[in-house]
Amino acid sequence: MSFSPLKVAVVCMSNMNRSMEAHSILRKKGFSVRSFGAGSRVRLPGTARNLPVVYDFSTTYEQMRKDLVRIDRERYTSNGILHILGRNERIKPRPERFQECRDRFDVIFTCEESVYDRVIEELWVREQETCQPVYVINVDMDDNTEDATLGSLIICELCERLQQAEDMEGSLAELLLAVERKTGRSFLHTVCFY
């Protein structure tokens, strides 16, 4: 059975860099995609390494951008955060928490193992209504712009291959193995049900 069109979610911790980079790339390729954070709050680099700037998920990307410009325009321009927020504003108004979304997806990609664990835990505690499978795949990437782009391109390749698969469940392990060989990365993955 073919999954057309593939409904995709991408989840990182704050719905700021990695998930939004993948959202941008997948949207340009025509995928039905949403992005989320799995953390309790949005955390951005602060003026000191151990003091992040923290926002609620209800804060818009525009509000964050204006706040950071007020705090230190030069710093947040040079570290790329203002650029990231500008991109995010063009995609959607604000970050979203995965735990608050009840939409169903064919595939959920996570961007680090701790997010993978949170997503699986959230899916397990939800009441199963349809027994529709959702494939959860972790593509580990560091939270920087370069690795976010590289990881997002891997997610895009996986989506393209899954979209073409006649039988997603039967093809998944082989497909992941082929991309693992090509990229040198390994992928945690599991199946959950709605």
Side-chain angles (χ1 to χ4, degrees):
M1 181 173 143
S2 179
F3 287 77
S4 276
L6 198 63
K7 291 185 285 184
V8 179
V10 185
V11 188
C12 67
M13 197 58 81
S14 291
N15 197 199
M16 186 59 57
N17 180 29
R18 298 166 293 176
S19 62
M20 289 299 291
E21 179 68 8
H23 189 148
S24 176
I25 289 171
L26 292 171
R27 188 173 77 162
K28 288 175 185 169
K29 291 285 191 168
F31 285 97
S32 172
V33 61
R34 293 202 45 208
S35 59
F36 302 95
S40 57
R41 314 245 320 203
V42 175
R43 298 182 192 289
L44 296 175
T47 51
R49 192 158 176 58
N50 59 346
L51 292 173
V53 179
V54 180
Y55 297 100
D56 289 326
F57 273 88
S58 61
T59 309
T60 67
Y61 292 122
E62 179 183 25
Q63 289 169 317
M64 290 180 210
R65 182 180 47 77
K66 287 179 178 178
D67 188 43
L68 296 180
V69 164
R70 183 186 54 74
I71 293 171
D72 189 342
R73 176 190 296 266
E74 185 177 320
R75 173 183 179 77
Y76 291 107
T77 298
S78 68
N79 70 9
I81 299 295
L82 295 181
H83 173 76
I84 287 169
L85 287 166
R87 175 206 57 206
N88 295 356
E89 284 179 66
R90 291 186 295 276
I91 295 171
K92 64 183 189 179
R94 67 179 44 82
E96 298 174 85
R97 282 190 80 228
F98 177 75
Q99 295 88 333
E100 295 168 7
C101 176
R102 292 298 177 254
D103 291 356
R104 289 182 170 78
F105 301 96
D106 299 312
V107 184
I108 299 171
F109 289 97
T110 59
C111 301
E112 66 182 79
E113 191 171 340
S114 65
V115 173
Y116 176 83
D117 293 340
R118 287 179 187 220
V119 166
I120 291 170
E121 181 179 319
E122 174 64 26
L123 291 170
W124 277 108
V125 299
R126 292 182 183 182
E127 186 175 324
Q128 288 184 8
E129 297 172 3
T130 65
C131 291
Q132 171 191 340
V134 57
Y135 301 90
V136 184
I137 303 169
N138 186 62
V139 178
D140 250 339
M141 56 184 98
D142 291 335
D143 195 1
N144 61 57
T145 54
E146 182 180 329
D147 213 40
T149 299
L150 293 173
S152 296
L153 292 171
I154 291 169
I155 288 173
C156 186
E157 179 175 348
L158 289 167
C159 284
E160 289 170 339
R161 289 177 180 231
L162 288 168
Q163 184 75 48
Q164 296 167 0
E166 289 297 317
D167 170 25
M168 189 182 308
E169 185 174 2
S171 305
L172 185 62
E174 185 178 313
L175 186 149
L176 288 173
L177 188 57
V179 177
E180 284 176 6
R181 285 184 186 132
K182 179 179 175 183
T183 64
R185 297 184 186 217
S186 59
F187 308 105
L188 291 174
H189 64 281
T190 193
V191 179
C192 295
F193 296 90
Y194 287 113

